[in-house]
């Protein structure tokens, strides 16, 4: 915090502080530092993307997605930004849109394993287990693929159970 006060406008320092704040569960601190940087006129795709991550952490998915879209204007087709946007769609309950976005991210040069993991999550929560196997197969051991499949099945079954219970209470 002291360094940020002394070096206002330093994007790299702001990014480090925001990431450290998020990593320690202090999303509000990250949001404050990022808002100050944004108010100072900083327009860096990394800054906009981490603001989006912070908004998602605070369950503000619509604003988060706006920040990711702004970041994509500065760094088109960036797989990191697309991956964050896709994960935001998952958090908002839009797995089909997440899948589309994450497939785009996975096709981009520089896409890393986090993109693949997020795509597997989007497919899994939709119950697309054959697709999970295709995407995960080359990257993960078969035992882990099977464990993931069972985990997704349990999530879907739990979701259906809650939906059934909610229906009986109305």
């Amino acid at each position: 915090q002291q360094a940020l006060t002394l070096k206002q406008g330093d994007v790299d320092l702001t990014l480090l502080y925001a990431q450290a704040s998020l990593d320690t569960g202090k999303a509000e601190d990250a949001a404050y530092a990022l808002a100050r940087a944004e108010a100072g006129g900083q327009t860096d795709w990394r800054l906009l993307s981490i603001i989006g991550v912070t908004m998602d952490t605070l369950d503000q998915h619509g604003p988060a997605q706006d920040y990711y879209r702004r970041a994509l204007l500065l760094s088109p087709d960036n797989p990191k930004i697309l991956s964050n946007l896709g994960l935001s769609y998952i958090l908002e309950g839009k797995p089909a849109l997440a899948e589309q976005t994450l497939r785009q991210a996975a096709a981009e040069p520089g896409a890393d394993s986090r993109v693949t993991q997020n795509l597997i999550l989007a497919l899994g929560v939709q119950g697309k287990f054959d697709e999970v196997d295709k995407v995960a197969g080359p990257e993960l051991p078969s035992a882990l693929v099977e464990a993931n499949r069972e985990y997704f099945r349990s999530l879907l079954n739990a979701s259906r159970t809650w939906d059934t219970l909610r229906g009986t209470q109305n």
Side-chain angles (χ1 to χ4, degrees):
Q1 285 177 330
Q2 291 174 351
L4 278 177
T5 302
L6 294 172
K7 298 197 84 173
Q8 290 182 359
D10 186 322
V11 173
D12 291 325
L13 185 59
T14 302
L15 292 170
L16 286 171
Y17 178 80
Q19 189 61 58
S21 295
L22 289 171
D23 290 346
T24 58
K26 298 177 182 175
E28 292 83 9
D29 291 349
Y32 178 75
L34 292 165
R36 285 183 53 195
E38 186 181 24
Q42 296 296 332
T43 55
D44 182 300
W45 72 265
R46 299 170 303 158
L47 182 69
L48 296 173
S49 186
I50 200 165
I51 292 172
V53 171
T54 303
M55 294 291 101
D56 274 329
T57 302
L58 296 170
D59 290 327
Q60 297 177 15
H61 308 300
Q65 293 160 19
D66 290 339
Y67 278 102
Y68 298 133
R69 288 184 199 100
R70 286 177 52 198
L72 284 167
L73 292 175
L74 298 173
S75 184
D77 302 321
N78 183 312
K80 291 179 182 179
I81 303 168
L82 288 167
S83 184
N84 287 342
L85 179 58
L87 187 54
S88 183
Y89 288 141
I90 292 170
L91 293 170
E92 192 179 27
K94 297 178 179 177
L97 189 53
E99 177 187 347
Q100 177 185 353
T101 304
L102 291 162
R103 285 189 186 278
Q104 180 185 352
E108 294 299 326
D112 62 21
S113 63
R114 289 173 289 191
V115 174
T116 303
Q117 291 167 5
N118 288 343
L119 177 56
I120 289 168
L121 178 60
L123 294 167
V125 297
Q126 294 178 84
K128 295 182 175 183
F129 302 119
D130 291 338
E131 285 294 312
V132 167
D133 292 346
K134 288 178 190 173
V135 172
E139 290 200 21
L140 299 175
S142 60
L144 188 53
V145 171
E146 181 60 31
N148 285 339
R149 186 182 309 115
E150 290 307 313
Y151 176 71
F152 289 129
R153 281 195 179 112
S154 70
L155 284 177
L156 291 172
N157 287 336
S159 174
R160 288 187 192 111
T161 301
W162 281 111
D163 289 342
T164 302
L165 290 173
R166 274 190 221 108
T168 60
Q169 292 177 337
N170 290 336

